[in-house]
mmCIF file of all heavy atoms in Angstrom:
data_model
loop_
_atom_site.group_PDB
_atom_site.id
_atom_site.type_symbol
_atom_site.label_atom_id
_atom_site.label_comp_id
_atom_site.label_asym_id
_atom_site.label_seq_id
_atom_site.Cartn_x
_atom_site.Cartn_y
_atom_site.Cartn_z
ATOM 1 N N MET S 870 102.291 77.544 60.146
ATOM 2 C CA MET S 870 101.836 78.645 59.291
ATOM 3 C C MET S 870 102.896 78.923 58.229
ATOM 4 O O MET S 870 104.066 78.694 58.455
ATOM 5 C CB MET S 870 101.597 79.903 60.128
ATOM 6 C CG MET S 870 100.497 79.738 61.164
ATOM 7 S SD MET S 870 98.876 79.455 60.441
ATOM 8 C CE MET S 870 98.439 81.122 59.932
ATOM 9 N N PRO S 871 102.481 79.431 57.084
ATOM 10 C CA PRO S 871 103.416 79.666 55.985
ATOM 11 C C PRO S 871 104.400 80.806 56.254
ATOM 12 O O PRO S 871 104.195 81.611 57.148
ATOM 13 C CB PRO S 871 102.502 79.993 54.809
ATOM 14 C CG PRO S 871 101.251 80.485 55.416
ATOM 15 C CD PRO S 871 101.104 79.757 56.710
ATOM 16 N N ALA S 872 105.441 80.803 55.429
ATOM 17 C CA ALA S 872 106.431 81.867 55.514
ATOM 18 C C ALA S 872 105.840 83.153 54.960
ATOM 19 O O ALA S 872 104.972 83.139 54.095
ATOM 20 C CB ALA S 872 107.658 81.464 54.705
ATOM 21 N N LYS S 873 106.351 84.265 55.500
ATOM 22 C CA LYS S 873 105.896 85.562 55.000
ATOM 23 C C LYS S 873 107.109 86.468 54.804
ATOM 24 O O LYS S 873 108.012 86.488 55.626
ATOM 25 C CB LYS S 873 104.929 86.192 55.995
ATOM 26 C CG LYS S 873 104.329 87.502 55.475
ATOM 27 C CD LYS S 873 103.143 87.929 56.308
ATOM 28 C CE LYS S 873 102.351 89.072 55.675
ATOM 29 N NZ LYS S 873 103.094 90.013 54.875
ATOM 30 N N VAL S 874 107.120 87.192 53.697
ATOM 31 C CA VAL S 874 108.232 88.089 53.396
ATOM 32 C C VAL S 874 107.867 89.523 53.763
ATOM 33 O O VAL S 874 106.809 90.020 53.396
ATOM 34 C CB VAL S 874 108.593 88.021 51.898
ATOM 35 C CG1 VAL S 874 109.669 89.043 51.554
ATOM 36 C CG2 VAL S 874 109.059 86.621 51.517
ATOM 37 N N ASN S 875 108.753 90.162 54.518
ATOM 38 C CA ASN S 875 108.602 91.579 54.801
ATOM 39 C C ASN S 875 109.113 92.339 53.580
ATOM 40 O O ASN S 875 110.310 92.376 53.314
ATOM 41 C CB ASN S 875 109.412 91.956 56.048
ATOM 42 C CG ASN S 875 109.297 93.437 56.389
ATOM 43 O OD1 ASN S 875 109.095 94.280 55.515
ATOM 44 N ND2 ASN S 875 109.436 93.747 57.657
ATOM 45 N N GLU S 876 108.221 92.908 52.835
ATOM 46 C CA GLU S 876 108.611 93.553 51.568
ATOM 47 C C GLU S 876 109.530 94.744 51.758
ATOM 48 O O GLU S 876 110.321 95.074 50.885
ATOM 49 C CB GLU S 876 107.348 93.986 50.800
ATOM 50 C CG GLU S 876 106.591 92.804 50.239
ATOM 51 C CD GLU S 876 105.539 93.237 49.214
ATOM 52 O OE1 GLU S 876 105.536 94.424 48.842
ATOM 53 O OE2 GLU S 876 104.747 92.377 48.815
ATOM 54 N N GLU S 877 109.450 95.393 52.893
ATOM 55 C CA GLU S 877 110.314 96.551 53.120
ATOM 56 C C GLU S 877 111.752 96.115 53.358
ATOM 57 O O GLU S 877 112.686 96.845 53.038
ATOM 58 C CB GLU S 877 109.802 97.368 54.306
ATOM 59 C CG GLU S 877 108.485 98.066 53.991
ATOM 60 C CD GLU S 877 108.053 99.037 55.084
ATOM 61 O OE1 GLU S 877 108.819 99.254 56.029
ATOM 62 O OE2 GLU S 877 106.938 99.554 54.975
ATOM 63 N N SER S 878 111.938 94.921 53.923
ATOM 64 C CA SER S 878 113.287 94.431 54.198
ATOM 65 C C SER S 878 113.895 93.701 53.011
ATOM 66 O O SER S 878 115.107 93.697 52.830
ATOM 67 C CB SER S 878 113.264 93.474 55.396
ATOM 68 O OG SER S 878 112.718 94.100 56.525
ATOM 69 N N CYS S 879 113.070 93.060 52.211
ATOM 70 C CA CYS S 879 113.552 92.230 51.103
ATOM 71 C C CYS S 879 114.344 93.053 50.095
ATOM 72 O O CYS S 879 113.877 94.080 49.611
ATOM 73 C CB CYS S 879 112.368 91.568 50.405
ATOM 74 S SG CYS S 879 112.839 90.563 48.981
ATOM 75 N N THR S 880 115.555 92.561 49.779
ATOM 76 C CA THR S 880 116.421 93.253 48.820
ATOM 77 C C THR S 880 116.324 92.640 47.427
ATOM 78 O O THR S 880 116.969 93.107 46.496
ATOM 79 C CB THR S 880 117.891 93.173 49.267
ATOM 80 O OG1 THR S 880 118.296 91.799 49.295
ATOM 81 C CG2 THR S 880 118.091 93.795 50.645
ATOM 82 N N GLY S 881 115.559 91.543 47.308
ATOM 83 C CA GLY S 881 115.418 90.901 46.007
ATOM 84 C C GLY S 881 116.601 90.045 45.616
ATOM 85 O O GLY S 881 116.820 89.784 44.431
ATOM 86 N N CYS S 882 117.370 89.567 46.602
ATOM 87 C CA CYS S 882 118.592 88.807 46.307
ATOM 88 C C CYS S 882 118.302 87.415 45.747
ATOM 89 O O CYS S 882 119.179 86.781 45.178
ATOM 90 C CB CYS S 882 119.447 88.692 47.556
ATOM 91 S SG CYS S 882 118.794 87.549 48.801
ATOM 92 N N GLU S 883 117.116 86.909 45.957
ATOM 93 C CA GLU S 883 116.664 85.604 45.465
ATOM 94 C C GLU S 883 117.306 84.402 46.153
ATOM 95 O O GLU S 883 117.178 83.277 45.692
ATOM 96 C CB GLU S 883 116.848 85.479 43.942
ATOM 97 C CG GLU S 883 116.071 86.548 43.188
ATOM 98 C CD GLU S 883 116.037 86.325 41.673
ATOM 99 O OE1 GLU S 883 116.263 85.183 41.247
ATOM 100 O OE2 GLU S 883 115.766 87.308 40.946
ATOM 101 N N ALA S 884 118.004 84.620 47.261
ATOM 102 C CA ALA S 884 118.626 83.508 47.990
ATOM 103 C C ALA S 884 117.575 82.516 48.474
ATOM 104 O O ALA S 884 117.796 81.302 48.492
ATOM 105 C CB ALA S 884 119.428 84.041 49.173
ATOM 106 N N CYS S 885 116.432 83.012 48.857
ATOM 107 C CA CYS S 885 115.375 82.155 49.385
ATOM 108 C C CYS S 885 114.743 81.280 48.303
ATOM 109 O O CYS S 885 114.289 80.174 48.584
ATOM 110 C CB CYS S 885 114.295 83.004 50.026
ATOM 111 S SG CYS S 885 113.623 84.285 48.939
ATOM 112 N N VAL S 886 114.724 81.765 47.090
ATOM 113 C CA VAL S 886 114.060 81.038 46.004
ATOM 114 C C VAL S 886 114.651 79.641 45.832
ATOM 115 O O VAL S 886 113.930 78.643 45.766
ATOM 116 C CB VAL S 886 114.150 81.835 44.682
ATOM 117 C CG1 VAL S 886 113.554 81.035 43.529
ATOM 118 C CG2 VAL S 886 113.445 83.173 44.823
ATOM 119 N N GLY S 887 115.981 79.561 45.791
ATOM 120 C CA GLY S 887 116.657 78.281 45.596
ATOM 121 C C GLY S 887 116.598 77.384 46.818
ATOM 122 O O GLY S 887 116.787 76.176 46.713
ATOM 123 N N ALA S 888 116.351 77.975 47.984
ATOM 124 C CA ALA S 888 116.332 77.206 49.227
ATOM 125 C C ALA S 888 115.020 76.467 49.437
ATOM 126 O O ALA S 888 114.941 75.522 50.211
ATOM 127 C CB ALA S 888 116.574 78.144 50.413
ATOM 128 N N CYS S 889 113.989 76.872 48.734
ATOM 129 C CA CYS S 889 112.659 76.297 48.961
ATOM 130 C C CYS S 889 112.475 74.965 48.223
ATOM 131 O O CYS S 889 112.606 74.907 47.008
ATOM 132 C CB CYS S 889 111.593 77.287 48.510
ATOM 133 S SG CYS S 889 109.928 76.654 48.778
ATOM 134 N N PRO S 890 112.158 73.909 48.955
ATOM 135 C CA PRO S 890 112.005 72.581 48.344
ATOM 136 C C PRO S 890 110.764 72.432 47.471
ATOM 137 O O PRO S 890 110.695 71.524 46.644
ATOM 138 C CB PRO S 890 111.941 71.634 49.551
ATOM 139 C CG PRO S 890 111.394 72.481 50.652
ATOM 140 C CD PRO S 890 111.977 73.851 50.418
ATOM 141 N N THR S 891 109.807 73.312 47.636
ATOM 142 C CA THR S 891 108.566 73.186 46.862
ATOM 143 C C THR S 891 108.406 74.301 45.823
ATOM 144 O O THR S 891 107.333 74.473 45.245
ATOM 145 C CB THR S 891 107.340 73.200 47.796
ATOM 146 O OG1 THR S 891 107.305 74.448 48.487
ATOM 147 C CG2 THR S 891 107.405 72.070 48.799
ATOM 148 N N GLU S 892 109.480 75.086 45.643
ATOM 149 C CA GLU S 892 109.429 76.217 44.697
ATOM 150 C C GLU S 892 108.257 77.141 45.000
ATOM 151 O O GLU S 892 107.566 77.616 44.103
ATOM 152 C CB GLU S 892 109.383 75.700 43.248
ATOM 153 C CG GLU S 892 110.620 74.883 42.910
ATOM 154 C CD GLU S 892 110.647 74.388 41.459
ATOM 155 O OE1 GLU S 892 109.762 74.782 40.681
ATOM 156 O OE2 GLU S 892 111.556 73.628 41.123
ATOM 157 N N ALA S 893 108.037 77.343 46.297
ATOM 158 C CA ALA S 893 106.905 78.170 46.723
ATOM 159 C C ALA S 893 107.196 79.662 46.654
ATOM 160 O O ALA S 893 106.286 80.469 46.762
ATOM 161 C CB ALA S 893 106.516 77.796 48.153
ATOM 162 N N ILE S 894 108.486 80.011 46.500
ATOM 163 C CA ILE S 894 108.830 81.437 46.497
ATOM 164 C C ILE S 894 109.082 81.922 45.079
ATOM 165 O O ILE S 894 109.904 81.365 44.357
ATOM 166 C CB ILE S 894 110.066 81.718 47.368
ATOM 167 C CG1 ILE S 894 109.870 81.144 48.768
ATOM 168 C CG2 ILE S 894 110.329 83.229 47.443
ATOM 169 C CD1 ILE S 894 111.067 81.331 49.697
ATOM 170 N N VAL S 895 108.357 82.944 44.706
ATOM 171 C CA VAL S 895 108.523 83.528 43.376
ATOM 172 C C VAL S 895 108.885 85.005 43.541
ATOM 173 O O VAL S 895 108.623 85.608 44.580
ATOM 174 C CB VAL S 895 107.232 83.400 42.532
ATOM 175 C CG1 VAL S 895 106.888 81.938 42.299
ATOM 176 C CG2 VAL S 895 106.068 84.104 43.202
ATOM 177 N N MET S 896 109.505 85.558 42.511
ATOM 178 C CA MET S 896 109.846 86.973 42.556
ATOM 179 C C MET S 896 108.737 87.771 41.869
ATOM 180 O O MET S 896 108.284 87.422 40.777
ATOM 181 C CB MET S 896 111.183 87.220 41.867
ATOM 182 C CG MET S 896 112.369 86.480 42.502
ATOM 183 S SD MET S 896 112.595 86.794 44.271
ATOM 184 C CE MET S 896 113.053 88.534 44.255
ATOM 185 N N LYS S 897 108.308 88.820 42.557
ATOM 186 C CA LYS S 897 107.285 89.714 41.996
ATOM 187 C C LYS S 897 107.787 91.133 42.126
ATOM 188 O O LYS S 897 107.976 91.627 43.239
ATOM 189 C CB LYS S 897 105.962 89.582 42.770
ATOM 190 C CG LYS S 897 105.095 88.423 42.335
ATOM 191 C CD LYS S 897 103.706 88.558 42.976
ATOM 192 C CE LYS S 897 102.802 87.413 42.540
ATOM 193 N NZ LYS S 897 101.499 87.488 43.242
ATOM 194 N N GLU S 898 108.028 91.783 41.014
ATOM 195 C CA GLU S 898 108.495 93.164 41.007
ATOM 196 C C GLU S 898 109.692 93.359 41.922
ATOM 197 O O GLU S 898 109.756 94.302 42.711
ATOM 198 C CB GLU S 898 107.351 94.108 41.397
ATOM 199 C CG GLU S 898 106.205 94.059 40.390
ATOM 200 C CD GLU S 898 105.016 94.927 40.795
ATOM 201 O OE1 GLU S 898 105.064 95.500 41.886
ATOM 202 O OE2 GLU S 898 104.057 95.004 40.017
ATOM 203 N N GLY S 899 110.641 92.406 41.862
ATOM 204 C CA GLY S 899 111.882 92.552 42.614
ATOM 205 C C GLY S 899 111.822 92.142 44.069
ATOM 206 O O GLY S 899 112.809 92.270 44.791
ATOM 207 N N LYS S 900 110.680 91.637 44.504
ATOM 208 C CA LYS S 900 110.541 91.184 45.887
ATOM 209 C C LYS S 900 110.109 89.728 45.898
ATOM 210 O O LYS S 900 109.398 89.271 44.992
ATOM 211 C CB LYS S 900 109.467 92.013 46.611
ATOM 212 C CG LYS S 900 109.695 93.510 46.570
ATOM 213 C CD LYS S 900 110.797 93.922 47.522
ATOM 214 C CE LYS S 900 110.951 95.443 47.530
ATOM 215 N NZ LYS S 900 112.002 95.890 48.449
ATOM 216 N N ALA S 901 110.519 89.018 46.959
ATOM 217 C CA ALA S 901 110.115 87.627 47.086
ATOM 218 C C ALA S 901 108.664 87.554 47.562
ATOM 219 O O ALA S 901 108.211 88.382 48.354
ATOM 220 C CB ALA S 901 111.021 86.922 48.080
ATOM 221 N N PHE S 902 107.955 86.538 47.053
ATOM 222 C CA PHE S 902 106.559 86.349 47.434
ATOM 223 C C PHE S 902 106.311 84.866 47.662
ATOM 224 O O PHE S 902 106.685 84.031 46.839
ATOM 225 C CB PHE S 902 105.647 86.865 46.314
ATOM 226 C CG PHE S 902 104.185 86.674 46.583
ATOM 227 C CD1 PHE S 902 103.488 87.555 47.403
ATOM 228 C CD2 PHE S 902 103.504 85.604 46.001
ATOM 229 C CE1 PHE S 902 102.136 87.363 47.649
ATOM 230 C CE2 PHE S 902 102.145 85.418 46.254
ATOM 231 C CZ PHE S 902 101.463 86.294 47.071
ATOM 232 N N VAL S 903 105.698 84.523 48.783
ATOM 233 C CA VAL S 903 105.440 83.121 49.114
ATOM 234 C C VAL S 903 104.038 82.730 48.641
ATOM 235 O O VAL S 903 103.050 83.357 49.005
ATOM 236 C CB VAL S 903 105.562 82.885 50.634
ATOM 237 C CG1 VAL S 903 105.287 81.418 50.968
ATOM 238 C CG2 VAL S 903 106.951 83.291 51.128
ATOM 239 N N THR S 904 103.988 81.675 47.839
ATOM 240 C CA THR S 904 102.709 81.218 47.292
ATOM 241 C C THR S 904 102.090 80.128 48.174
ATOM 242 O O THR S 904 102.675 79.707 49.181
ATOM 243 C CB THR S 904 102.897 80.629 45.885
ATOM 244 O OG1 THR S 904 103.611 79.385 46.011
ATOM 245 C CG2 THR S 904 103.680 81.582 44.988
ATOM 246 N N ASP S 905 100.953 79.639 47.761
ATOM 247 C CA ASP S 905 100.235 78.599 48.499
ATOM 248 C C ASP S 905 100.966 77.256 48.497
ATOM 249 O O ASP S 905 100.552 76.323 49.182
ATOM 250 C CB ASP S 905 98.839 78.404 47.903
ATOM 251 C CG ASP S 905 97.938 79.591 48.187
ATOM 252 O OD1 ASP S 905 98.277 80.394 49.087
ATOM 253 O OD2 ASP S 905 96.894 79.719 47.524
ATOM 254 N N GLU S 906 102.046 77.148 47.723
ATOM 255 C CA GLU S 906 102.810 75.894 47.676
ATOM 256 C C GLU S 906 103.638 75.689 48.945
ATOM 257 O O GLU S 906 104.227 74.632 49.145
ATOM 258 C CB GLU S 906 103.750 75.886 46.466
ATOM 259 C CG GLU S 906 103.051 76.045 45.123
ATOM 260 C CD GLU S 906 102.078 74.923 44.843
ATOM 261 O OE1 GLU S 906 102.483 73.763 44.968
ATOM 262 O OE2 GLU S 906 100.913 75.222 44.525
ATOM 263 N N CYS S 907 103.727 76.696 49.783
ATOM 264 C CA CYS S 907 104.540 76.622 51.005
ATOM 265 C C CYS S 907 104.047 75.510 51.917
ATOM 266 O O CYS S 907 102.867 75.424 52.225
ATOM 267 C CB CYS S 907 104.495 77.963 51.740
ATOM 268 S SG CYS S 907 105.409 77.967 53.301
ATOM 269 N N ILE S 908 105.031 74.668 52.364
ATOM 270 C CA ILE S 908 104.689 73.577 53.281
ATOM 271 C C ILE S 908 105.181 73.863 54.702
ATOM 272 O O ILE S 908 105.315 72.968 55.530
ATOM 273 C CB ILE S 908 105.274 72.232 52.787
ATOM 274 C CG1 ILE S 908 106.793 72.330 52.610
ATOM 275 C CG2 ILE S 908 104.604 71.805 51.476
ATOM 276 C CD1 ILE S 908 107.478 70.978 52.370
ATOM 277 N N ASP S 909 105.513 75.115 54.965
ATOM 278 C CA ASP S 909 105.882 75.565 56.313
ATOM 279 C C ASP S 909 107.160 74.922 56.845
ATOM 280 O O ASP S 909 107.287 74.703 58.052
ATOM 281 C CB ASP S 909 104.747 75.292 57.316
ATOM 282 C CG ASP S 909 103.384 75.717 56.807
ATOM 283 O OD1 ASP S 909 103.334 76.462 55.809
ATOM 284 O OD2 ASP S 909 102.374 75.311 57.410
ATOM 285 N N CYS S 910 108.114 74.590 55.978
ATOM 286 C CA CYS S 910 109.317 73.888 56.444
ATOM 287 C C CYS S 910 110.313 74.806 57.135
ATOM 288 O O CYS S 910 111.151 74.354 57.902
ATOM 289 C CB CYS S 910 109.994 73.179 55.277
ATOM 290 S SG CYS S 910 110.868 74.290 54.161
ATOM 291 N N GLY S 911 110.261 76.097 56.823
ATOM 292 C CA GLY S 911 111.152 77.060 57.479
ATOM 293 C C GLY S 911 112.535 77.187 56.872
ATOM 294 O O GLY S 911 113.361 77.960 57.371
ATOM 295 N N ALA S 912 112.831 76.462 55.816
ATOM 296 C CA ALA S 912 114.182 76.471 55.222
ATOM 297 C C ALA S 912 114.584 77.854 54.717
ATOM 298 O O ALA S 912 115.753 78.235 54.779
ATOM 299 C CB ALA S 912 114.250 75.462 54.087
ATOM 300 N N CYS S 913 113.643 78.603 54.235
ATOM 301 C CA CYS S 913 113.955 79.914 53.646
ATOM 302 C C CYS S 913 114.334 80.952 54.702
ATOM 303 O O CYS S 913 115.063 81.897 54.414
ATOM 304 C CB CYS S 913 112.768 80.414 52.852
ATOM 305 S SG CYS S 913 111.230 80.465 53.812
ATOM 306 N N VAL S 914 113.852 80.774 55.912
ATOM 307 C CA VAL S 914 114.064 81.772 56.956
ATOM 308 C C VAL S 914 115.549 82.019 57.211
ATOM 309 O O VAL S 914 116.010 83.165 57.228
ATOM 310 C CB VAL S 914 113.362 81.356 58.267
ATOM 311 C CG1 VAL S 914 113.671 82.345 59.383
ATOM 312 C CG2 VAL S 914 111.856 81.266 58.055
ATOM 313 N N ASP S 915 116.316 80.941 57.401
ATOM 314 C CA ASP S 915 117.745 81.070 57.674
ATOM 315 C C ASP S 915 118.524 81.503 56.445
ATOM 316 O O ASP S 915 119.648 81.983 56.553
ATOM 317 C CB ASP S 915 118.305 79.734 58.167
ATOM 318 C CG ASP S 915 117.808 79.402 59.564
ATOM 319 O OD1 ASP S 915 117.429 80.340 60.287
ATOM 320 O OD2 ASP S 915 117.808 78.215 59.923
ATOM 321 N N GLU S 916 117.953 81.309 55.282
ATOM 322 C CA GLU S 916 118.634 81.625 54.034
ATOM 323 C C GLU S 916 118.668 83.124 53.754
ATOM 324 O O GLU S 916 119.551 83.616 53.060
ATOM 325 C CB GLU S 916 117.897 80.905 52.901
ATOM 326 C CG GLU S 916 118.722 80.347 51.801
ATOM 327 C CD GLU S 916 119.880 79.479 52.239
ATOM 328 O OE1 GLU S 916 119.711 78.609 53.138
ATOM 329 O OE2 GLU S 916 120.955 79.658 51.661
ATOM 330 N N CYS S 917 117.741 83.854 54.285
ATOM 331 C CA CYS S 917 117.638 85.292 53.990
ATOM 332 C C CYS S 917 118.683 86.096 54.755
ATOM 333 O O CYS S 917 118.698 86.096 55.983
ATOM 334 C CB CYS S 917 116.244 85.798 54.336
ATOM 335 S SG CYS S 917 116.060 87.563 53.976
ATOM 336 N N PRO S 918 119.555 86.823 54.033
ATOM 337 C CA PRO S 918 120.631 87.589 54.687
ATOM 338 C C PRO S 918 120.143 88.806 55.461
ATOM 339 O O PRO S 918 120.863 89.337 56.300
ATOM 340 C CB PRO S 918 121.529 87.992 53.514
ATOM 341 C CG PRO S 918 120.637 87.988 52.326
ATOM 342 C CD PRO S 918 119.618 86.896 52.571
ATOM 343 N N VAL S 919 118.927 89.246 55.187
ATOM 344 C CA VAL S 919 118.430 90.436 55.889
ATOM 345 C C VAL S 919 117.242 90.112 56.803
ATOM 346 O O VAL S 919 116.530 91.005 57.259
ATOM 347 C CB VAL S 919 118.039 91.548 54.887
ATOM 348 C CG1 VAL S 919 119.269 92.044 54.139
ATOM 349 C CG2 VAL S 919 116.978 91.069 53.902
ATOM 350 N N GLU S 920 117.070 88.827 57.058
ATOM 351 C CA GLU S 920 116.008 88.365 57.964
ATOM 352 C C GLU S 920 114.627 88.937 57.607
ATOM 353 O O GLU S 920 113.870 89.375 58.476
ATOM 354 C CB GLU S 920 116.366 88.711 59.418
ATOM 355 C CG GLU S 920 117.658 88.019 59.845
ATOM 356 C CD GLU S 920 118.060 88.332 61.309
ATOM 357 O OE1 GLU S 920 117.340 89.076 61.976
ATOM 358 O OE2 GLU S 920 119.083 87.769 61.733
ATOM 359 N N ALA S 921 114.344 88.894 56.319
ATOM 360 C CA ALA S 921 113.061 89.433 55.860
ATOM 361 C C ALA S 921 111.939 88.396 55.914
ATOM 362 O O ALA S 921 110.776 88.735 55.726
ATOM 363 C CB ALA S 921 113.198 89.944 54.430
ATOM 364 N N ILE S 922 112.297 87.119 56.161
ATOM 365 C CA ILE S 922 111.271 86.072 56.157
ATOM 366 C C ILE S 922 110.978 85.585 57.559
ATOM 367 O O ILE S 922 111.887 85.268 58.324
ATOM 368 C CB ILE S 922 111.714 84.871 55.289
ATOM 369 C CG1 ILE S 922 112.179 85.335 53.919
ATOM 370 C CG2 ILE S 922 110.553 83.879 55.150
ATOM 371 C CD1 ILE S 922 112.698 84.206 53.042
ATOM 372 N N THR S 923 109.714 85.520 57.890
ATOM 373 C CA THR S 923 109.293 85.007 59.189
ATOM 374 C C THR S 923 108.205 83.964 58.963
ATOM 375 O O THR S 923 107.546 83.929 57.932
ATOM 376 C CB THR S 923 108.725 86.133 60.081
ATOM 377 O OG1 THR S 923 107.712 86.833 59.349
ATOM 378 C CG2 THR S 923 109.812 87.108 60.486
ATOM 379 N N MET S 924 108.024 83.092 59.962
ATOM 380 C CA MET S 924 106.945 82.121 59.914
ATOM 381 C C MET S 924 105.799 82.719 60.729
ATOM 382 O O MET S 924 105.974 83.104 61.867
ATOM 383 C CB MET S 924 107.389 80.788 60.528
ATOM 384 C CG MET S 924 108.597 80.155 59.855
ATOM 385 S SD MET S 924 108.386 79.830 58.082
ATOM 386 C CE MET S 924 107.208 78.474 58.147
ATOM 387 N N GLU S 925 104.646 82.819 60.111
ATOM 388 C CA GLU S 925 103.520 83.464 60.793
ATOM 389 C C GLU S 925 102.740 82.481 61.640
ATOM 390 O O GLU S 925 102.554 81.357 61.256
ATOM 391 C CB GLU S 925 102.603 84.070 59.746
ATOM 392 C CG GLU S 925 103.275 85.199 58.984
ATOM 393 C CD GLU S 925 102.429 86.450 58.987
ATOM 394 O OE1 GLU S 925 101.257 86.352 58.577
ATOM 395 O OE2 GLU S 925 102.928 87.488 59.405
HETATM 396 S S1 LIG B 733 108.847 77.698 54.629
HETATM 397 FE FE1 LIG B 733 109.754 76.076 53.308
HETATM 398 S S2 LIG B 733 108.136 75.606 51.825
HETATM 399 FE FE2 LIG B 733 107.607 77.579 52.738
HETATM 400 S S3 LIG B 733 108.485 79.127 51.373
HETATM 401 FE FE3 LIG B 733 110.023 78.717 52.984
HETATM 402 S S4 LIG B 733 111.376 77.124 52.153
HETATM 403 FE FE4 LIG B 733 109.482 77.162 50.905
HETATM 404 S S1 LIG B 734 116.469 85.893 50.686
HETATM 405 FE FE1 LIG B 734 115.442 87.585 51.784
HETATM 406 S S2 LIG B 734 116.175 89.467 50.783
HETATM 407 FE FE2 LIG B 734 116.654 87.748 49.422
HETATM 408 S S3 LIG B 734 114.871 87.660 48.004
HETATM 409 FE FE3 LIG B 734 114.476 86.227 49.711
HETATM 410 S S4 LIG B 734 113.274 87.445 51.212
HETATM 411 FE FE4 LIG B 734 114.250 88.891 49.794
#
């Protein structure tokens, strides 16, 4: 299942954006958002300093 960002936890640091191999994460109004390009690799999860990303 794709990655999901908890918007309440996300600080908008953009660390996850560069970690994604498919550029599936975009910033929307200061929060990270995972698009349909996600291939479920999980790379972004460990990259987030506030553990805002989970695999659903
Ligand atoms: S799980 Fe992988 S492909 Fe999906 S958003 Fe995270 S880094 Fe990108
Ligand atoms: S790494 Fe975490 S806190 Fe930073 S933009 Fe991505 S989801 Fe938000």
